[in-house]
Amino acid sequence: MKTINKKLLILCTAALLIADSGCKKSFLDSDQLSSYSPANLDNPTAMKAALNGIALVLRKEYFGDSAPMLTESIFSDVAVEGTTDKSTPAQDLVTRITPDANLNSDDFNKVGWYWDNSFIAIRQANSVISNIDKPKYSSDAEKNAILGSAYFFRAYYYYRLVHQFGDVPLQLKDLDAPRTDFYSTKREVILAKMKTDLEFAQTWVTDNVNKGEVTKGAVSHLLTKVDLALGKFDEAITAATSVINGSKYGLMTARFGSTASDATKNVVWDLHRMDNKAISSNREALFLVIDREAFQGFTPNGSQLMRNTVPAWHFANLKTPYGGTAITDAVTAEIPLTRMYGRGIGRYRGTPYSTQYIWTDHTDYRHAKGMWMDMTDLVYNNPALKTSKIEAERNLYGKPLVQYDASNIKQMFTNGSLDTIRHWFGWPHYKVFINSTNALANDPYWTPPRGTNTDWYVFRLAETYLLRAEAYYWKGNLELAMSDINAVRSRANAQLYTDASKINIGTILDERARELYWEEPRKTELTRIAYIFALTGKSAYNGKSYTMAAFSDNNFFYDRIIEKNDFYKNQVPTLQGVKYRIAPYHVLWPIPASAQRFNTGGHINQNKGYSGYESNVPALDKIE
């Protein structure tokens, strides 16, 4: 495989001009629609620049403060919004997630970000597709590979949109004039078209491309998801198998890369190091977003993953059992915890399900000491403790934090048990630790470190195995499903499953939660699975069956979350008195009201449970 494209920075600069044209307005705003002319797409280099511009949009989903991936996670079983010092975040989803609410803000949620940016990316893909015949190519293969890559990006974003918002407008051509007459198209019609496009792309896109570009493996991986969503389980198995059995890819089971000589770590640590993700010896990466120091102009805040996902252990709210301040975040501290683990603010608050309940196997690398961090793995490092008037408190310095219980919780937290939401939970250190090594490391903004530039997995072969396991499950072939799950577990040194009769969709979702932290869009995948249960009528492990007719009222998405997410199940209150709540209709997000207002000549349907649903018209059931 080629090395990372040295021209990528130049290409992305050109493409960024395209992306920025639509960042400040709704997709359906006529001014935004008329702001970009594709006249310059007259050569293959320009076409590739446009494709790299779409990759910029994709990169932003994972990176930055309050990254959009956080919103995907909190509409699920694995996490809730942990920012408890304000009342604006999406915690009570019933009141916060409405068509007219603020749907694109670091302090609220990023539902609207997905709507706006998905259509921006689709429009860029359509610009390439509609103008594919303009350039002069070296061969049909070059032309079709570019076209296939554009098909991939369009399919990627439509796959996400239909599992976030349901029926949405289907736009397959570039716009040469403003449009205000969009109508919703049925989800299954959109998916069927995306399947056809991906099958074309599968033929022409190759794996011999620069890191960060679309690969054949990524196309087949996405095709697997689309086939699953359409209930075409045999075809999903075929698509996944083409990746798994291809000579190009394989699970990384032996030590590799820059950290291979560190005897205190393991292959899972190697897999998730920032400088190992895009190297040629890493055979597990199907599709990456590339984020390097040279790209600071495009991702000025870096990943900020440590800031988003690590608990706010540094706040003065965290005390010793005797009431003294437990920890300092000073980078010059004798025990510099911020340099060792990052300085978090607990936005992504893992649930007990994802941080405790699924980790019963103590041999699993992903939850081993030094890989996974619990609060009791941190130590008291506040130098003031050394001179405390309380002898027992003086003896705490340098020792592990004491686990809170009923006898000491009032002393350890300023606001009692409510402070544990943000300040006390476990996290996958091996996944989120991104050392600040770039030029901004000494800038006050980056001190203490919050996570900096890093490449990131979008698709990885471990997920392909779990997708094929899911397809086998839907077909009732539990032995083969168990085998694919065990392939992932074996690499993690986890105990293997031996009783296939106990394999169900919950088993697969548990393994996805262990393996795909901050990689999978959990809400999207839960909604896709909920659709499959409703389409097939297959009984879930909870004994229930579901229908499309009652999809927004009774669905697997909601039942799974209420079963596993203790915050939503128990309507736990925050410091602001806001209770965590979710409803069955959150299986689909609201269509932003602004999108409907600008669409004066058509009608974009609203999802059930939200204001405006009563005015819906039949969605289009064919491609016009």
Side-chain angles (χ1 to χ4, degrees):
M1 178 171 288
K2 300 177 184 178
T3 57
I4 294 172
N5 190 348
K6 294 180 180 179
K7 296 181 180 178
L8 186 59
L9 184 60
I10 298 173
L11 296 178
C12 286
T13 302
L16 189 63
L17 299 177
I18 302 172
D20 274 357
S21 69
C23 287
K24 296 181 180 179
K25 287 183 176 287
S26 165
F27 164 69
L28 294 173
D29 186 321
S30 60
D31 290 338
Q32 186 268 319
L33 290 178
S34 61
S35 63
Y36 170 64
S37 172
N40 65 332
L41 295 178
D42 58 358
N43 62 83
T45 299
M47 287 292 198
K48 291 178 181 179
L51 294 174
N52 287 327
I54 308 173
L56 284 179
V57 178
L58 201 158
R59 183 193 304 164
K60 293 175 184 177
E61 180 177 6
Y62 299 92
F63 296 163
D65 200 15
S66 191
M69 184 58 72
L70 173 65
T71 294
E72 271 275 354
S73 303
I74 65 177
F75 280 83
S76 81
D77 47 359
V78 299
V80 292
E81 224 290 2
T83 311
T84 54
D85 63 345
K86 55 177 70 78
S87 61
T88 58
Q91 293 160 340
D92 181 351
L93 306 184
V94 175
T95 60
R96 287 285 174 234
I97 307 301
T98 67
D100 285 300
N102 189 334
L103 296 177
N104 190 3
S105 165
D106 286 356
D107 291 329
F108 288 75
N109 62 84
K110 295 296 178 68
V111 168
W113 184 96
Y114 279 106
W115 178 270
D116 292 343
N117 284 274
S118 293
F119 280 116
I120 288 170
I122 288 167
R123 184 163 182 238
Q124 290 182 46
N126 283 337
S127 292
V128 173
I129 294 165
S130 295
N131 292 279
I132 193 66
D133 291 323
K134 283 187 176 182
K136 182 178 180 180
Y137 300 96
S138 62
S139 65
D140 286 342
E142 181 185 32
K143 171 185 174 180
N144 289 334
I146 290 173
L147 179 59
S149 294
Y151 279 158
F152 167 85
F153 278 120
R154 187 169 70 182
Y156 176 90
Y157 282 101
Y158 267 121
Y159 171 81
R160 297 295 299 279
L161 282 169
V162 299
H163 295 111
Q164 292 169 330
F165 300 96
D167 299 342
V168 297
L170 176 61
Q171 179 64 25
L172 298 175
K173 297 179 180 179
D174 196 20
L175 297 172
D176 54 11
R179 276 191 61 184
T180 58
D181 60 346
F182 291 97
Y183 284 86
S184 300
T185 297
K186 287 186 176 180
R187 166 186 168 274
E188 58 270 25
V189 173
I190 295 174
L191 287 170
K193 171 58 177 170
M194 298 306 111
K195 174 177 170 60
T196 300
D197 290 348
L198 288 169
E199 288 170 342
F200 173 91
Q202 194 178 37
T203 300
W204 292 102
V205 174
T206 74
D207 288 313
N208 187 32
V209 297
N210 300 305
K211 293 290 188 178
E213 294 180 347
V214 178
T215 66
K216 184 183 182 72
V219 171
S220 297
H221 183 97
L222 180 57
L223 180 58
T224 303
K225 292 191 174 194
V226 171
D227 282 333
L228 282 169
L230 288 168
K232 297 181 180 295
F233 305 127
D234 286 323
E235 293 173 53
I237 291 167
T238 299
T241 301
S242 72
V243 187
I244 293 169
N245 291 351
S247 60
K248 181 68 182 179
Y249 301 105
L251 291 176
M252 298 303 295
T253 57
R255 300 298 302 275
F256 74 100
S258 63
T259 51
S261 62
D262 185 350
T264 67
K265 297 299 190 293
N266 54 58
V267 67
V268 174
W269 179 265
D270 298 340
L271 186 65
H272 294 285
R273 299 286 46 81
M274 56 194 293
D275 51 352
N276 286 345
K277 292 177 181 177
I279 59 176
S280 59
S281 59
N282 183 350
R283 297 180 61 230
E284 192 160 333
L286 303 181
F287 186 42
L288 293 158
V289 289
I290 306 298
D291 185 54
R292 303 294 177 81
E293 295 174 24
F295 296 174
Q296 272 297 310
F298 303 133
T299 314
N301 297 334
S303 78
Q304 297 212 56
L305 189 56
M306 293 191 295
R307 173 175 167 83
N308 279 302
T309 62
V310 174
W313 52 261
H314 55 88
F315 281 11
N317 303 50
L318 186 60
K319 308 292 185 181
T320 74
Y322 310 98
T325 299
I327 288 178
T328 176
D329 64 357
V331 295
T332 56
E334 182 180 40
I335 307 174
L337 295 179
T338 52
R339 293 294 185 194
M340 298 163 67
Y341 305 110
R343 180 186 184 276
I345 62 171
R347 271 201 171 111
Y348 179 111
R349 205 300 187 182
T351 58
Y353 158 75
S354 65
T355 63
Q356 299 175 43
Y357 304 159
I358 61 174
W359 299 109
T360 58
D361 183 354
H362 301 298
T363 67
D364 196 321
Y365 287 154
R366 298 165 298 189
H367 205 254
K369 289 288 185 183
M371 298 283 287
W372 181 275
M373 288 293 297
D374 287 312
M375 289 298 293
T376 50
D377 294 321
L378 297 177
V379 300
Y380 295 100
N381 76 332
N382 179 14
L385 296 176
K386 296 179 180 180
T387 57
S388 172
K389 295 180 179 179
I390 304 173
E391 181 179 359
E393 194 166 63
R394 292 198 299 272
N395 293 333
L396 288 176
Y397 184 81
K399 294 181 179 178
L401 300 191
V402 175
Q403 175 64 43
Y404 68 84
D405 57 30
S407 67
N408 61 28
I409 192 169
K410 290 184 178 180
Q411 289 77 33
M412 287 180 60
F413 297 95
T414 302
N415 292 286
S417 61
L418 294 182
D419 269 4
T420 66
I421 295 175
R422 193 176 189 189
H423 303 301
W424 196 281
F425 57 91
W427 73 96
H429 175 61
Y430 75 92
K431 201 77 172 286
V432 310
F433 181 65
I434 302 168
N435 197 17
S436 294
T437 58
N438 67 17
L440 294 183
N442 296 320
D443 188 283
Y445 187 78
W446 295 96
T447 306
R450 54 182 68 190
T452 186
N453 303 93
T454 179
D455 303 335
W456 200 256
Y457 298 115
V458 179
F459 292 157
R460 187 160 55 83
L461 190 65
E463 186 188 15
T464 319
Y465 273 95
L466 297 178
L467 289 172
R468 191 171 70 172
E470 187 187 331
Y472 284 135
Y473 159 76
W474 293 116
K475 284 181 59 65
N477 195 330
L478 301 185
E479 288 285 350
L480 289 178
M482 182 175 71
S483 178
D484 277 348
I485 298 169
N486 278 341
V488 177
R489 292 183 62 78
S490 176
R491 188 268 299 282
N493 199 44
Q495 296 175 11
L496 303 185
Y497 294 123
T498 57
D499 186 352
S501 68
K502 294 182 180 179
I503 301 297
N504 56 46
I505 201 67
T507 318
I508 296 166
L509 284 169
D510 290 349
E511 200 61 35
R512 291 183 67 92
R514 296 184 191 100
E515 182 70 20
L516 299 173
Y517 181 103
W518 206 260
E519 290 181 58
E520 67 165 338
R522 188 76 172 186
K523 185 271 178 209
T524 291
E525 300 304 308
L526 284 179
T527 296
R528 175 182 60 76
I529 290 169
Y531 267 122
I532 298 174
F533 274 119
L535 287 166
T536 63
K538 183 182 178 77
S539 294
Y541 62 80
N542 58 12
K544 295 182 64 174
S545 58
Y546 305 92
T547 67
M548 286 298 297
F551 186 66
S552 290
D553 303 307
N554 180 27
N555 54 69
F556 176 78
F557 167 91
Y558 175 77
D559 288 341
R560 171 76 182 184
I561 293 171
I562 291 300
E563 174 195 5
K564 299 297 184 180
N565 191 318
D566 291 352
F567 291 94
Y568 292 129
K569 177 181 179 179
N570 300 319
Q571 296 192 11
V572 174
T574 72
L575 294 176
Q576 305 298 317
V578 177
K579 292 183 178 180
Y580 288 99
R581 292 198 299 165
I582 194 169
Y585 63 81
H586 287 126
V587 67
L588 296 174
W589 286 338
I591 307 299
S594 58
Q596 294 178 308
R597 282 196 297 269
F598 285 114
N599 193 49
T600 56
H603 192 93
I604 301 176
N605 286 339
Q606 186 56 268
N607 290 312
K608 190 173 184 180
Y610 306 102
S611 175
Y613 169 76
E614 64 281 357
S615 301
N616 280 0
V617 300
L620 300 177
D621 59 4
K622 61 182 179 180
I623 297 174
E624 295 185 332

Short mmCIF file of all heavy atoms in Angstrom, two decimals, residues 306-341:
data_model
loop_
_atom_site.label_atom_id
_atom_site.label_comp_id
_atom_site.label_asym_id
_atom_site.label_seq_id
_atom_site.Cartn_x
_atom_site.Cartn_y
_atom_site.Cartn_z
N MET A 306 -9.53 12.87 25.40
CA MET A 306 -9.32 12.74 26.84
C MET A 306 -10.21 13.73 27.60
O MET A 306 -10.75 13.41 28.65
CB MET A 306 -7.86 12.95 27.19
CG MET A 306 -6.95 11.86 26.65
SD MET A 306 -5.25 11.89 27.30
CE MET A 306 -4.63 13.42 26.66
N ARG A 307 -10.34 14.92 27.07
CA ARG A 307 -11.20 15.93 27.72
C ARG A 307 -12.65 15.45 27.75
O ARG A 307 -13.34 15.60 28.75
CB ARG A 307 -11.09 17.25 26.96
CG ARG A 307 -12.06 18.34 27.43
CD ARG A 307 -11.78 19.65 26.70
NE ARG A 307 -12.83 20.62 26.86
CZ ARG A 307 -12.98 21.44 27.90
NH1 ARG A 307 -12.12 21.37 28.89
NH2 ARG A 307 -13.96 22.32 27.95
N ASN A 308 -13.11 14.86 26.67
CA ASN A 308 -14.51 14.45 26.59
C ASN A 308 -14.83 13.23 27.43
O ASN A 308 -15.92 13.12 28.00
CB ASN A 308 -14.88 14.17 25.13
CG ASN A 308 -15.19 15.42 24.34
OD1 ASN A 308 -16.06 16.19 24.70
ND2 ASN A 308 -14.46 15.64 23.26
N THR A 309 -13.91 12.27 27.51
CA THR A 309 -14.26 10.94 28.02
C THR A 309 -13.69 10.58 29.38
O THR A 309 -14.19 9.66 30.03
CB THR A 309 -13.81 9.87 27.02
OG1 THR A 309 -12.39 9.92 26.86
CG2 THR A 309 -14.48 10.07 25.66
N VAL A 310 -12.64 11.25 29.81
CA VAL A 310 -12.05 10.95 31.11
C VAL A 310 -12.85 11.67 32.19
O VAL A 310 -13.27 12.81 32.00
CB VAL A 310 -10.56 11.37 31.15
CG1 VAL A 310 -9.97 11.21 32.54
CG2 VAL A 310 -9.76 10.57 30.12
N PRO A 311 -13.08 11.03 33.34
CA PRO A 311 -13.85 11.71 34.40
C PRO A 311 -13.16 12.97 34.90
O PRO A 311 -11.94 13.12 34.77
CB PRO A 311 -13.94 10.65 35.51
CG PRO A 311 -12.87 9.66 35.21
CD PRO A 311 -12.71 9.66 33.73
N ALA A 312 -13.94 13.86 35.46
CA ALA A 312 -13.42 15.13 35.97
C ALA A 312 -12.81 14.90 37.36
O ALA A 312 -13.24 15.48 38.35
CB ALA A 312 -14.52 16.18 36.01
N TRP A 313 -11.75 14.09 37.36
CA TRP A 313 -11.14 13.71 38.64
C TRP A 313 -10.36 14.86 39.27
O TRP A 313 -10.05 14.84 40.45
CB TRP A 313 -10.20 12.52 38.44
CG TRP A 313 -9.19 12.68 37.34
CD1 TRP A 313 -9.26 12.19 36.07
CD2 TRP A 313 -7.94 13.37 37.42
NE1 TRP A 313 -8.15 12.54 35.34
CE2 TRP A 313 -7.32 13.26 36.15
CE3 TRP A 313 -7.28 14.08 38.42
CZ2 TRP A 313 -6.09 13.84 35.86
CZ3 TRP A 313 -6.05 14.65 38.15
CH2 TRP A 313 -5.46 14.53 36.87
N HIS A 314 -10.05 15.89 38.47
CA HIS A 314 -9.16 16.96 38.93
C HIS A 314 -9.89 18.05 39.70
O HIS A 314 -9.27 18.91 40.31
CB HIS A 314 -8.48 17.59 37.72
CG HIS A 314 -9.47 18.08 36.69
ND1 HIS A 314 -10.01 19.34 36.73
CD2 HIS A 314 -10.03 17.45 35.63
CE1 HIS A 314 -10.85 19.46 35.72
NE2 HIS A 314 -10.89 18.34 35.03
N PHE A 315 -11.23 18.07 39.65
CA PHE A 315 -11.98 19.13 40.32
C PHE A 315 -11.79 19.06 41.82
O PHE A 315 -11.63 18.00 42.41
CB PHE A 315 -13.47 19.01 40.00
CG PHE A 315 -13.86 19.54 38.65
CD1 PHE A 315 -12.91 19.88 37.71
CD2 PHE A 315 -15.19 19.69 38.32
CE1 PHE A 315 -13.26 20.37 36.47
CE2 PHE A 315 -15.57 20.17 37.07
CZ PHE A 315 -14.59 20.50 36.14
N ALA A 316 -11.86 20.22 42.45
CA ALA A 316 -11.72 20.27 43.92
C ALA A 316 -12.89 19.58 44.62
O ALA A 316 -12.82 19.33 45.82
CB ALA A 316 -11.63 21.72 44.38
N ASN A 317 -13.96 19.27 43.85
CA ASN A 317 -15.09 18.56 44.44
C ASN A 317 -14.70 17.20 44.99
O ASN A 317 -15.35 16.67 45.88
CB ASN A 317 -16.19 18.33 43.38
CG ASN A 317 -16.67 19.61 42.73
OD1 ASN A 317 -15.87 20.41 42.28
ND2 ASN A 317 -17.97 19.83 42.69
N LEU A 318 -13.64 16.62 44.44
CA LEU A 318 -13.21 15.29 44.87
C LEU A 318 -12.32 15.42 46.10
O LEU A 318 -11.26 16.04 46.06
CB LEU A 318 -12.45 14.59 43.73
CG LEU A 318 -12.06 13.13 43.97
CD1 LEU A 318 -13.28 12.28 44.21
CD2 LEU A 318 -11.28 12.60 42.77
N LYS A 319 -12.76 14.80 47.20
CA LYS A 319 -12.08 14.94 48.49
C LYS A 319 -11.51 13.61 48.96
O LYS A 319 -11.83 12.55 48.42
CB LYS A 319 -13.07 15.45 49.54
CG LYS A 319 -13.85 16.71 49.15
CD LYS A 319 -12.98 17.94 49.08
CE LYS A 319 -13.79 19.20 48.82
NZ LYS A 319 -12.95 20.40 48.72
N THR A 320 -10.72 13.69 50.00
CA THR A 320 -10.31 12.48 50.71
C THR A 320 -11.45 12.07 51.64
O THR A 320 -12.39 12.84 51.86
CB THR A 320 -9.05 12.74 51.54
OG1 THR A 320 -9.41 13.52 52.69
CG2 THR A 320 -7.98 13.46 50.74
N PRO A 321 -11.38 10.90 52.23
CA PRO A 321 -12.41 10.52 53.21
C PRO A 321 -12.45 11.45 54.43
O PRO A 321 -13.39 11.36 55.23
CB PRO A 321 -12.00 9.10 53.62
CG PRO A 321 -11.23 8.58 52.47
CD PRO A 321 -10.48 9.76 51.94
N TYR A 322 -11.47 12.34 54.54
CA TYR A 322 -11.41 13.25 55.67
C TYR A 322 -11.74 14.68 55.27
O TYR A 322 -11.65 15.60 56.10
CB TYR A 322 -10.02 13.18 56.32
CG TYR A 322 -9.60 11.77 56.62
CD1 TYR A 322 -8.76 11.09 55.73
CD2 TYR A 322 -10.07 11.09 57.75
CE1 TYR A 322 -8.40 9.77 55.98
CE2 TYR A 322 -9.71 9.78 58.00
CZ TYR A 322 -8.88 9.12 57.11
OH TYR A 322 -8.54 7.80 57.36
N GLY A 323 -12.07 14.88 53.98
CA GLY A 323 -12.53 16.19 53.52
C GLY A 323 -11.50 17.06 52.85
O GLY A 323 -11.83 18.15 52.37
N GLY A 324 -10.24 16.62 52.78
CA GLY A 324 -9.22 17.42 52.10
C GLY A 324 -9.27 17.24 50.59
O GLY A 324 -9.73 16.21 50.09
N THR A 325 -8.78 18.23 49.85
CA THR A 325 -8.75 18.11 48.39
C THR A 325 -7.80 16.99 47.99
O THR A 325 -6.63 16.97 48.38
CB THR A 325 -8.30 19.44 47.75
OG1 THR A 325 -9.23 20.46 48.11
CG2 THR A 325 -8.23 19.32 46.24
N ALA A 326 -8.30 16.07 47.17
CA ALA A 326 -7.58 14.83 46.91
C ALA A 326 -6.51 14.95 45.85
O ALA A 326 -5.43 14.35 45.96
CB ALA A 326 -8.58 13.74 46.50
N ILE A 327 -6.78 15.74 44.80
CA ILE A 327 -5.94 15.68 43.61
C ILE A 327 -5.67 17.07 43.06
O ILE A 327 -6.50 17.97 43.15
CB ILE A 327 -6.64 14.81 42.53
CG1 ILE A 327 -6.59 13.33 42.91
CG2 ILE A 327 -6.03 15.00 41.16
CD1 ILE A 327 -7.28 12.41 41.93
N THR A 328 -4.50 17.24 42.49
CA THR A 328 -4.19 18.44 41.72
C THR A 328 -3.96 18.06 40.27
O THR A 328 -3.45 16.97 39.99
CB THR A 328 -2.94 19.15 42.27
OG1 THR A 328 -2.63 20.26 41.42
CG2 THR A 328 -1.74 18.22 42.29
N ASP A 329 -4.32 18.98 39.36
CA ASP A 329 -4.10 18.71 37.94
C ASP A 329 -2.86 19.44 37.42
O ASP A 329 -2.65 19.50 36.21
CB ASP A 329 -5.31 19.08 37.11
CG ASP A 329 -5.62 20.58 37.15
OD1 ASP A 329 -4.91 21.31 37.87
OD2 ASP A 329 -6.57 21.00 36.48
N ALA A 330 -2.06 19.96 38.30
CA ALA A 330 -0.86 20.70 37.87
C ALA A 330 0.07 19.78 37.08
O ALA A 330 0.40 18.67 37.52
CB ALA A 330 -0.12 21.26 39.08
N VAL A 331 0.50 20.25 35.91
CA VAL A 331 1.38 19.43 35.09
C VAL A 331 2.77 19.30 35.70
O VAL A 331 3.55 18.43 35.32
CB VAL A 331 1.48 19.99 33.66
CG1 VAL A 331 0.15 19.91 32.96
CG2 VAL A 331 2.00 21.42 33.67
N THR A 332 3.07 20.18 36.65
CA THR A 332 4.38 20.14 37.31
C THR A 332 4.34 19.38 38.63
O THR A 332 5.32 19.37 39.37
CB THR A 332 4.87 21.57 37.57
OG1 THR A 332 3.88 22.26 38.36
CG2 THR A 332 5.09 22.32 36.26
N ALA A 333 3.21 18.74 38.92
CA ALA A 333 3.08 18.00 40.18
C ALA A 333 4.10 16.88 40.26
O ALA A 333 4.55 16.34 39.25
CB ALA A 333 1.66 17.43 40.30
N GLU A 334 4.45 16.52 41.48
CA GLU A 334 5.40 15.45 41.70
C GLU A 334 4.90 14.15 41.08
O GLU A 334 5.68 13.35 40.51
CB GLU A 334 5.62 15.26 43.21
CG GLU A 334 6.64 14.19 43.56
CD GLU A 334 6.80 14.05 45.06
OE1 GLU A 334 5.77 14.12 45.78
OE2 GLU A 334 7.95 13.89 45.51
N ILE A 335 3.60 13.92 41.19
CA ILE A 335 2.95 12.80 40.50
C ILE A 335 2.00 13.42 39.48
O ILE A 335 0.86 13.77 39.79
CB ILE A 335 2.17 11.91 41.49
CG1 ILE A 335 3.07 11.47 42.65
CG2 ILE A 335 1.59 10.69 40.77
CD1 ILE A 335 2.33 10.70 43.73
N PRO A 336 2.45 13.62 38.22
CA PRO A 336 1.69 14.40 37.23
C PRO A 336 0.58 13.57 36.58
O PRO A 336 0.72 13.10 35.45
CB PRO A 336 2.76 14.80 36.23
CG PRO A 336 3.74 13.67 36.27
CD PRO A 336 3.76 13.18 37.70
N LEU A 337 -0.51 13.43 37.27
CA LEU A 337 -1.60 12.59 36.76
C LEU A 337 -2.13 13.09 35.41
O LEU A 337 -2.57 12.29 34.58
CB LEU A 337 -2.74 12.53 37.77
CG LEU A 337 -2.42 11.85 39.12
CD1 LEU A 337 -3.65 11.90 40.03
CD2 LEU A 337 -1.98 10.41 38.90
N THR A 338 -2.10 14.40 35.21
CA THR A 338 -2.61 14.91 33.94
C THR A 338 -1.76 14.44 32.76
O THR A 338 -2.28 14.16 31.69
CB THR A 338 -2.64 16.45 33.94
OG1 THR A 338 -1.36 16.94 34.32
CG2 THR A 338 -3.68 16.96 34.90
N ARG A 339 -0.46 14.36 32.96
CA ARG A 339 0.41 13.87 31.90
C ARG A 339 0.26 12.36 31.72
O ARG A 339 0.47 11.82 30.64
CB ARG A 339 1.88 14.20 32.22
CG ARG A 339 2.20 15.68 32.18
CD ARG A 339 2.07 16.24 30.78
NE ARG A 339 2.50 17.63 30.70
CZ ARG A 339 2.24 18.42 29.67
NH1 ARG A 339 1.56 17.95 28.64
NH2 ARG A 339 2.66 19.66 29.66
N MET A 340 -0.10 11.69 32.77
CA MET A 340 -0.18 10.24 32.74
C MET A 340 -1.51 9.75 32.16
O MET A 340 -1.55 8.70 31.50
CB MET A 340 0.00 9.68 34.15
CG MET A 340 1.36 9.99 34.76
SD MET A 340 1.40 9.78 36.56
CE MET A 340 1.19 8.01 36.70
N TYR A 341 -2.58 10.51 32.38
CA TYR A 341 -3.91 10.01 31.99
C TYR A 341 -4.77 11.03 31.26
O TYR A 341 -5.82 10.67 30.74
CB TYR A 341 -4.66 9.52 33.24
CG TYR A 341 -3.89 8.49 34.01
CD1 TYR A 341 -3.35 8.78 35.26
CD2 TYR A 341 -3.66 7.23 33.46
CE1 TYR A 341 -2.61 7.83 35.95
CE2 TYR A 341 -2.93 6.28 34.16
CZ TYR A 341 -2.41 6.58 35.40
OH TYR A 341 -1.67 5.64 36.07
#
